[in-house]
Structures are given as structure tokens and as C-alpha cells.
Amino acid sequence: TPLTVCSGLVNFVDREELLGRRVVLLTNLKPSKMRGIKSEAMILASENDDASKVEVFHPPVSSAIGELLHFKPFVPEGKSTRLKSKIWEEIQTKLLTDNEGKVIFKDGEQEYRLSGANPDDFAFVDNLRNTIVR
């Protein structure tokens, strides 16, 4: 099902770069209005420390469009529920890119990579390393 997605990427990513491109979307957040348009998902991106560079994540190469991604070894059971804002804010503080540009959830010393059905294929960015995820 097509989703309407608005983002704050206009100053960082050219529109043409996003047209027709596969991206990683967070769809279990509460829809929000941006400039009067209801946005039903959020594009997952990485940004450097001073927020001068932002890069949109590629889904795992082997993943299908619409495939549910998860942090290995956490496998979702059934339909995902909407995250409350406070829970999302807490999760977001633990989302980073590693030194290979893969998105990770870092909980203490443990790191979990974002993958789909193929557990050895991960979401990634082309250039940014060891950065925060937004």
C-alpha cells in the first residue's frame, strides 16, 4: 500500500536522489502533519555530529519492497504496534551507524544490525560512519 511520507531532508538530500529510490521507512510511529500534509512514515537517515551532512539509508540489497526489517536477533511476531513518542525517543538515542555504515541498535556493549529475511544482509549508508541515526 502506498504511503504519504514527508521529511525534513530538503536541505540535505536532492529530491531527484529520492525519486524512485528504495529507502528504509519507520511505519510504526504515529502519523504527523508536516506543512498540512499527513505523513504516514519516517525516512531513516544518518547525520554527522554537526548535522551538516545527512544520508538516507539503503535497505538490505536482498530485501523486497515492503519487507519488514528488524534488528537481528529480535524477530517481530505479528503486526507491529505504534511506538509512543517517549519510547521512540529512547530507542533513537541507541541508533547509530557503525564503522561500515550499517545501522545498529547499541544497547550497552551489545550491537544489533538492521536486516530483513536474509540475516546476513543489512541496511546501510554509502559514506557516513559512526554517526547518529534520525
Side-chain angles (χ1 to χ4, degrees):
T1 307
L3 299 173
T4 299
V5 181
C6 301
S7 77
L9 297 172
V10 69
N11 294 327
F12 303 101
V13 181
D14 291 332
R15 181 177 184 247
E16 291 76 28
E17 184 182 331
L18 289 177
L19 289 175
R21 177 178 167 182
R22 292 171 30 129
V23 296
V24 176
L25 296 175
L26 296 173
T27 59
N28 60 338
L29 301 175
K30 181 181 174 186
S32 62
K33 281 203 172 185
M34 294 182 77
R35 298 185 181 191
I37 299 171
K38 181 180 172 183
S39 182
E40 301 171 288
M42 185 176 105
I43 298 174
L44 198 64
S46 179
E47 73 180 40
N48 64 352
D49 290 339
D50 65 2
S52 63
K53 293 185 181 178
V54 174
E55 198 171 347
V56 175
F57 277 92
H58 297 279
V61 174
S62 64
S63 66
I65 292 174
E67 182 177 326
L68 183 63
L69 304 180
H70 61 279
F71 287 95
K72 185 178 150 181
F74 306 105
V75 179
E77 296 176 10
K79 187 177 179 187
S80 61
T81 58
R82 297 231 186 261
L83 293 175
K84 296 194 181 293
S85 295
K86 293 213 181 248
I87 294 172
W88 166 239
E89 289 170 12
E90 183 180 336
I91 290 170
Q92 195 172 21
T93 65
K94 298 177 181 184
L95 294 178
L96 308 162
T97 59
D98 64 13
N99 58 5
E100 296 176 349
K102 294 177 174 69
V103 62
I104 60 169
F105 176 80
K106 186 169 183 169
D107 189 20
E109 293 300 313
Q110 291 284 23
E111 294 182 359
Y112 307 97
R113 291 180 171 176
L114 186 62
S115 65
N118 178 346
D120 297 317
D121 191 12
F122 307 101
F124 66 97
V125 289
D126 292 320
N127 300 301
L128 293 177
R129 304 289 186 262
N130 302 308
T131 56
I132 59 175
V133 174
R134 297 278 180 233

